[in-house]
Amino acid sequence: MAVFISSRCRSTIPRTRAFWWTSCATVRPISSWPDGRGTMLQVVQAFDRAPITEIETDDAAALEAKLQSAERVFRDRDGWLKPYERIAILRRLAGLMEARRDHFAMQIAREGGKPLPDAIVETTRAIDGVHNAADELRNFAGREIPLGLSAAGAGRWAFTTKEPIGIVAAISAFNHPLNLIVHQVAPAIAVGCPVIIKPAGPTPLSCRDFVALVHEAGLPEAWCQSFIPESNALAEKLAIDRRIGFLSFIGSAKVGWYLHSKLAHGARSALEHGGAAPAIVDRSADLDRVIEPIVKGGYYHAGQVCVSTQRIFVHEDIAAAFTERLIARVAKLRVGDPTLADTEVGPLIHPREADRIASWVEEAVSGGAKLAVGGGRISETTLQPSVLLDPSTEAKVSREEVFGPVTCVYRYRRLDDAIAQANSLPVAFQASVFAQDIDVAMRAADRLDASAVMINDPTAFRTDWMPFAGRRESGYGIGGIPFTMREMAQEKLIMMRRP
């Protein structure tokens, strides 16, 4: 299924360590309980901050128990599930998710603020992702190593097998609260790794319900456990515990690289951060076919996507016509309650994110940019989608990831100048070029510093079996379900000397 989507929460804005883990959620102390439980996590609707529920958090003892449980089942090789058993569990899981498709979609809209039509797409993708992990096991195998290529290897036969790397610590993000969990958990189940998954603080409900279905599908609890820590320190403790073999982290670059530096020796990691995705619009582009994908790429989920289209470089010969059409389309976007079927753009995840983005827009305008449309505030968490024309290269909207419903338009004359500006930041993820001239399209695709370049499609395009990876500060390792399975496995060579 082809979709305009990505996976991750905002990455490049500096955060204090106190903000790393719980993000936009509220942890409320409960002092009167006789059993000693310390805190509850209050989950609210992103749109109007109305309470949804409260859920119990995990303390240090709970974390240790989860780690011991995961380590125990992993060390018991006789108890490892066979591939056909893992396939059966994944198939049953997909069926259980299918039966609760509407529940998950509405929950995503409520806790995460994603418009319901897009939340339905996310749920469909998540179900397909579980099938994808099961399908991949059909070809998940080692290979023969030819030893008879030299006299030293004569009379010997060698082959490799694939083994799970160990316990997976998965730390997820709010912006795709079900599909991101699937991308981290389903590969671990398929490969045979025990996994402990920590959802984002604002969106724990989709993870909680998904893990319950994993167990209902037949996977013993120790092989997949959710973890909702009562403190930031516990989340870090999970990630860097010596028993962890693989860290899957989706979130802040500052946090991800910090954790990467603290991993136990031999542990691997996959980091998904973000960027300020560029799109180049050549003068040969068909304007009748450009606006809609650019708007989808820039304003999908209110721009809270790691590969959301942020910086748009337009050839000066068509800049006026392009800008007029872009402004008209953005002005018509239906903004509001994400649980309504006709909403196109919903809220930010928290009021402070709306405050930040509004201040960045004000800074850009003060620095000489023109606010062509938007700039208003609809609610505490909801902003009107904005288009900024020619902001300064020093403005935050030009240098850092906005992670909100804002796009910036810059004019250029020479293609190589646009490419140089697109490549000028320390982050690099996905990029786009819109052109009917194949020479222009291929020159840009060849020279843009990106892990993926979309020609005549938005920066946020993705299918879940594509490789998905940030470059430089934007990430480490390769995402996408088949690729994550390879990252979570390790090869063992077995050699036999023939009689």
Side-chain angles (χ1 to χ4, degrees):
M1 176 177 295
V3 289
F4 305 107
I5 196 164
S6 125
S7 10
R8 192 212 109 293
C9 78
R10 183 169 150 259
S11 72
T12 56
I13 310 308
R15 302 235 189 228
T16 64
R17 289 187 62 180
F19 190 65
W20 281 4
W21 306 102
T22 56
S23 184
C24 312
T26 300
V27 176
R28 184 166 66 85
I30 303 290
S31 57
S32 59
W33 286 349
D35 60 4
R37 290 176 292 173
T39 59
M40 292 290 283
L41 180 70
Q42 186 178 66
V43 185
V44 302
Q45 294 189 150
F47 179 63
D48 58 10
R49 312 298 293 165
I52 300 174
T53 189
E54 290 183 339
I55 59 177
E56 186 181 349
T57 60
D58 294 310
D59 60 12
L63 172 59
E64 179 60 26
K66 291 173 190 286
L67 284 165
Q68 288 183 11
S69 178
E71 183 181 36
R72 184 166 53 252
V73 294
F74 184 69
R75 288 189 177 277
D76 179 17
R77 290 198 171 219
D78 291 335
W80 285 7
L81 297 173
K82 304 296 188 293
Y84 71 86
E85 294 175 307
R86 287 178 256 141
I87 290 172
I89 289 169
L90 290 166
R91 297 291 189 215
R92 285 195 295 268
L93 174 60
L96 292 169
M97 293 172 68
E98 181 71 46
R100 303 200 71 192
R101 181 193 301 267
D102 292 344
H103 163 79
F104 276 115
M106 183 58 72
Q107 191 158 265
I108 290 165
R110 293 184 70 200
E111 67 175 345
K114 181 175 289 184
L116 186 58
D118 295 324
I120 293 170
V121 172
E122 177 177 341
T123 304
T124 301
R125 287 183 62 200
I127 295 167
D128 185 65
V130 174
H131 281 301
N132 190 184
D135 292 341
E136 188 67 19
L137 278 173
R138 294 184 179 278
N139 299 300
F140 196 70
R143 60 196 178 96
E144 182 181 354
I145 306 298
L147 295 185
L149 303 179
S150 69
R156 293 169 175 84
W157 176 49
F159 59 93
T160 65
T161 62
K162 293 200 173 189
E163 296 182 341
I165 192 172
I167 302 171
V168 172
I171 296 174
S172 205
F174 78 84
N175 53 344
H176 311 297
L178 179 61
N179 199 45
L180 288 183
I181 301 294
V182 166
H183 272 254
Q184 295 171 293
V185 171
I189 295 172
V191 172
C193 293
V195 56
I196 301 173
I197 174 73
K198 180 210 167 293
T203 55
L205 302 181
S206 295
C207 176
R208 179 197 64 181
D209 291 353
F210 172 76
V211 171
L213 292 186
V214 169
H215 300 154
E216 187 177 341
L219 188 72
E221 183 175 347
W223 288 94
C224 180
Q225 303 173 84
S226 61
F227 176 57
I228 300 173
E230 66 177 9
S231 69
N232 300 342
L234 285 181
E236 180 176 328
K237 188 175 180 180
L238 165 67
I240 65 176
D241 189 275
R242 61 170 180 78
R243 290 163 286 193
I244 297 300
F246 187 91
L247 170 65
S248 172
F249 179 87
I250 305 173
S252 156
K254 180 178 180 180
V255 178
W257 288 112
Y258 167 80
L259 294 178
H260 178 80
S261 72
K262 297 292 184 179
L263 292 179
H265 293 174
R268 295 184 194 164
S269 69
L271 312 177
E272 250 181 59
H273 305 318
I280 294 175
V281 185
D282 180 57
R283 59 184 168 185
S284 69
D286 183 348
L287 291 185
D288 291 333
R289 304 170 76 176
V290 165
I291 300 302
E292 205 58 37
I294 282 187
V295 169
K296 187 66 175 179
Y299 300 96
Y300 169 80
H301 198 6
Q304 297 171 114
V305 177
C306 62
V307 288
S308 180
T309 304
Q310 179 173 324
R311 298 175 296 147
I312 307 169
F313 302 95
V314 186
H315 195 282
E316 63 182 20
D317 288 356
I318 61 165
F322 170 86
T323 302
E324 180 181 359
R325 295 189 188 201
L326 177 65
I327 292 168
R329 179 64 183 96
V330 171
K332 291 180 180 178
L333 287 169
R334 296 183 296 275
V335 186
D337 186 343
T339 65
L340 302 178
D342 63 347
T343 297
E344 294 178 285
V345 178
L348 282 305
I349 193 63
H350 195 275
R352 64 173 159 260
E353 290 300 291
D355 293 341
R356 174 189 60 80
I357 294 163
S359 72
W360 285 20
V361 171
E362 291 173 5
E363 179 210 52
V365 172
S366 297
K370 178 183 177 182
L371 180 61
V373 67
R377 194 152 184 166
I378 295 172
S379 76
E380 190 180 12
T381 55
T382 311
L383 300 177
Q384 290 179 337
S386 300
V387 176
L388 291 167
L389 304 182
D390 295 310
S392 164
T393 56
E394 298 304 310
K396 287 188 178 71
V397 294
S398 297
R399 294 185 292 107
E400 300 184 51
E401 184 181 31
V402 173
F403 217 64
V406 179
T407 60
C408 305
V409 180
Y410 312 82
R411 297 173 180 240
Y412 75 88
R413 173 173 287 277
R414 296 180 62 252
L415 176 63
D416 285 356
D417 292 340
I419 293 171
Q421 192 171 349
N423 291 344
S424 64
L425 302 182
V427 291
F429 215 134
Q430 296 192 166
S432 289
V433 55
F434 292 86
Q436 296 301 303
D437 185 329
I438 189 63
D439 291 336
V440 169
M442 294 310 297
R443 182 175 181 84
D446 184 55
R447 286 163 173 75
L448 281 167
D449 185 6
S451 59
V453 178
M454 314 304 168
I455 297 176
N456 296 322
D457 256 328
T459 59
F461 179 88
R462 184 185 183 187
T463 62
D464 296 308
W465 50 92
M466 285 167 48
F468 190 72
R471 289 185 175 181
R472 292 188 283 163
E473 291 184 12
S474 290
Y476 181 80
I478 302 176
I481 286 170
F483 301 91
T484 299
M485 288 174 62
R486 295 170 202 169
E487 298 260 305
M488 291 180 177
Q490 51 191 350
E491 282 198 322
K492 173 185 285 183
L493 183 135
I494 298 173
M495 193 272 290
M496 297 174 60
R497 183 167 186 169
R498 292 173 177 171

